[in-house]
Amino acid sequence: MSNYIPTIGVEVHVELKTKTKIFSNSTNGYGKMANSLTNVIDLGYPGTLPTLNEEVINLGIKAATILNCRIRKVMHFDRKNYFYPDISKNYQITQNETPIGYDGYVEITKSSGEKKKIYIEEMHIEEDTCKSAHRGTKTLLDFNRAGVPLIEIVTKPCLSDGEDVKLYLEKLKELLSYGNISDCKIEEGSMRADVNVSLRKEETDPLGVKAEIKNIGSISNAKLGVEKEIERQTKLYDKKETFKPQTRRFDDKIGDTVLMRIKETGNDYRYFPEPDIPFVVLTDEMIEEAVKTIPMLPDERREKYLNIGVSDINTNKLIQNRSLSDYFNELLEEKINHQIASNLLLGDISAYLNKEEKDIKETTLTKERFIELVNLVDNNTLTSKNLKEIINHILEETKSIKEIMEDNNIENITDDTEIRKVIKKIIEENEESVKDYKEGHDRAIKFLMGQVMKETKGKINPKMAMDTLKEELE
Amino acid sequence: MYLNKSVKEINELLKKKKIKPIDLVEEAFQNIENNKELNAYITLNKEDAIKRAKELEDKEVDNILFGIPIAVKDNIITKGLRTTCASHILDNFIPIYNATVVEKLIEKNMIIIGKTNMDEFAMGSSSRTSYFGAPHNPWNKNKISGGSSGGSATTIAARDVLFALGSDTGGSIRQPASYTGIVGMKPTYGRISRFGLVAFASSLDQIGPMTTNVYNNALLLNAIVGKDEKDLTSVKKEEDFTRLIGKDITGLKIAVPNYFMSDIVNDEIISKVKDTIKVLEENGAIVDYVDVKYLENAVTLYQIIAMSEASSNLARFDGIRYGYSYENPENIEDVYLKTRALGFGEEVKRRIMVGSYLLSGENAKIYYNKALSIREDMRKALKEVFNNYDLIIGPTTTTTAYNLDDPMDDPRKTFMDDVLVIPVNMAGLPGLNLPIGFDKNNMPIGMQIIGNSFEEAKIYQLASYLEKKLNLNLDPNGGENNE
């Protein structure tokens, strides 16, 4: 197989997290009875007119900011005219001439460590179409999705392989879900990606024939689809075969793309400015207000976590869990051991939350109680073994952690004099083992330690005991 | 007979319980029945109107329009009452919602008597493109009533009822008002919510009142204006439009665009307008002839803008969700093609085709966008006149109503009928037709009075002054002139 240079562009649609639809006051919801979230506007009844949901404009401003786009201050909507049963008016209201955001980028880090900017050509606001379900010769239409606000984000053709696509989509998902712009649930269709792939021999050659891959059900499939498509086109070029611009879909079952249709040349959408919606003019104040409400984004969180001593692994894990990360953000200024705090959140606390299917906000773990917990673990008063025994109490009761430990008879001898007293006693009683240890038999210290634990019925702090034991044996 | 009385008199009679709303409703239906051959209505609201009238008997007479019958053009959505737009494609369409104006009529306790005939989807200027046949002019049954609000004009001219709603995209209220000798107002774009007005050309469409006299017209406008959160192009400007009626016109500055008085207009009409100008001057108004740029481009711009928007607005009639649907389609393509081929009439299809062409590919830039920019120039040119003048006047139409059987084979002619009324829509201004006399065949002649944006009250001031001065008998059956 020869080597060709792939050129890849990605178009992503994300549904915005608004209460109501973009052009009517129907509820924006998922998984409800078909056509229950519709009104005469969504259904395109005669004489109905669109209104404009301001929340959508706000989210548009935020998304543009997050994606480092320039924001257009005077914009309008356009009608994209085409006949298809999924669009009730037979035109879609979109932004063709004046997308709200343009000239942006997001940065990805490739597995090689190389950082790469994925350039965003433009992002615009539009309405989602209805969902069609084909049943034999009939097609059923569910207009619940019709009029759900979308933003479409279009990259420049600057991606070069499946990894770029995967990392870009992951980054986009991370940013937009963190920005409270969208759920970005690919499986529910609230994030949808179409990928355009073409090949050419040399950088200086014109771009090759394009294939668009649709119906991609997951980010890993996006990567796989791109790789398969590069392979397919390479084989065709190698055999000196030509092909027409086409739309393909990713088939989950065979793990490959299949032809949907050959693209007709010159799709004529007869765009013109939507006369029912006046121009939208954004003031600096409106933009400022919207930007103010953008929550702290992953990159900033990452930097902050690493700076206060949280490990790489824990940092990434926290960021993958939005709710824990938000919780953790409240503790950034506290004088505590943040690595231990992150261990606790990602360890026993996460285990509890997963098992109980709860969010951390639904537990009794206030900031104050969590700080107490972190400090008790940090100063060895509470061992991890003991913690496991009382984690349910900690997360379900409101008593202080100390009280819970007392209730459960958990005592931890941390008093140095007391520890030393016990250890001295054990050393005196086990001369044989002490001698073994001094002769270099490491096993002996474990035996001595066992004796210490036995003597204290396990209530001695193991780490402190071991340190003291070593000290006394010198 | 009560509907030949003034609204104030009727209101007094209702208040004193000398008559009931049902008397008015029954009289209206009797009138409509007597004038059946005029074909002014597509659907009558008989049962519901009678029921409403009876319900109102127990209610307090709370405003001057209380209990009064009104006719509504059939492109305005009425809940539970068939709304066809005079098209086969909607001839079974019974809406589940009301237009905002209809809600306002109901709030005023007016009674909707029926839905009036019109050009199919308001596309035409003689109402002859109606799927239900054209209405006839009450002054001469062989003549057209004009269009597209021909049915509303007919029922008002015939004195079936006192009030009707029309819609005006390129003269569709004022031109038929002129042909039938009634008062018709197209208010400023944005004055009245378009929610529930089936869109023809969204940037031009406006609902307006059609009445037998100026005062009634202002009363009805009072009832239907206002900002509507369902229509983003509507604006909040509420006022009493009758407030300047009866005021003197001394010192009022009036402009007459030379183009409006050029040889495109029939001599009889020119001379009648000149007579009227004389009356104005004799009574202290200052009248100047002025040049206004771009007026001669109005029809071309209108064709481009209206047909482009229409091609998109009418795309929703596809047989999938409501209205006529082709019975035995083979596939989805067939649903679209056959439903629309059989559902729409010839003129509508022609306009959809031309509009689609105008927006196609690069054409949108060459035609639509260009037209929008010249339209803006024209709007500025007209607005500039108002820097020096209170009002603009001229003839409403170039001829009086022509014969119903005149050929329809020249599609451009129908636009030329509206050459004088279209600039008002292009500029979003308010404009009113006032009857000012008759031609030698006793067909009404109308004058158009155009105001600056949101200055409808000033238009009514001049119109009512002239109405009183001219004191024409505008009842085609020769009845008493009502004031």
Side-chain angles (χ1 to χ4, degrees), chain B residues 7-18:
Chain B
V7 177
K8 277 181 182 161
E9 285 174 281
I10 296 171
N11 190 243
E12 280 308 307
L13 291 169
L14 284 167
K15 272 186 182 161
K16 290 179 182 149
K17 304 252 177 217
K18 294 215 168 122

Side-chain angles (χ1 to χ4, degrees), chain B residues 28-37 46 160:
Chain B
F29 282 120
Q30 188 57 55
N31 293 343
I32 293 166
E33 178 61 28
N34 296 344
N35 289 320
K36 212 162 123 187
E37 77 281 8
K46 223 160 179 174
D160 293 334

Side-chain angles (χ1 to χ4, degrees), chain A residues 69 143 203 241 250 334 354 369 393 404 437:
Chain A
C69 285
F143 285 88
E203 289 282 2
E241 280 178 30
F250 189 83
E334 300 297 330
N354 289 339
R369 294 180 70 241
H393 298 282
I404 291 173
Y437 174 77

Side-chain angles (χ1 to χ4, degrees), chain A residues 43-44 46-47 79 81 88 90 268, chain B residues 97 196 312-313 315 318 321-322 360:
Chain A
L43 292 169
R79 288 189 187 176
N81 293 284
S88 64
N90 288 315
D268 185 0
Chain B
Y97 52 107
S312 172
N313 282 331
D318 58 12
R321 281 145 293 123
Y322 45 78
S360 186

Side-chain angles (χ1 to χ4, degrees), chain A residues 20 56 66 80 119 128 134 200 202 205 210 217 255 342 453 464 472:
Chain A
T20 56
V56 173
I66 289 171
K80 178 181 181 180
Y119 291 98
D128 208 344
H134 303 285
R200 57 181 160 173
E202 306 286 343
D205 290 347
K210 207 160 73 171
S342 68
M453 294 311 272
M464 289 177 82
E472 289 294 325

Side-chain angles (χ1 to χ4, degrees), chain A residues 16 24 38 46 63 74-75 80 112 177 198 204 216 260 284 291 309 317 345 362 374-375 381 425 431 436 442 462 468:
Chain A
L16 302 183
S24 88
T38 59
V74 180
M75 58 186 170
K80 178 181 181 180
S112 61
S177 52
S198 70
T204 49
I216 300 169
M260 262 172 104
D284 290 338
V291 169
K317 279 189 180 164
L345 285 174
E362 295 166 305
V374 173
N375 288 332
T381 311
K425 180 165 176 262
E431 281 176 16
D436 284 353
D442 275 353
T468 315

Side-chain angles (χ1 to χ4, degrees), chain A residues 6 48 51 127 230 234 255 279 284 286 293-294 300 340 366 392 398 409 432 460-461 467-468:
Chain A
T48 59
T51 51
E127 59 180 328
I230 292 172
T234 301
F279 278 48
D284 290 338
M286 282 166 79
T293 61
I294 299 174
E300 194 182 341
I340 286 176
T366 58
N392 285 31
T398 52
N409 261 330
E432 206 55 21
I460 196 159
N461 183 289
D467 291 348
T468 315

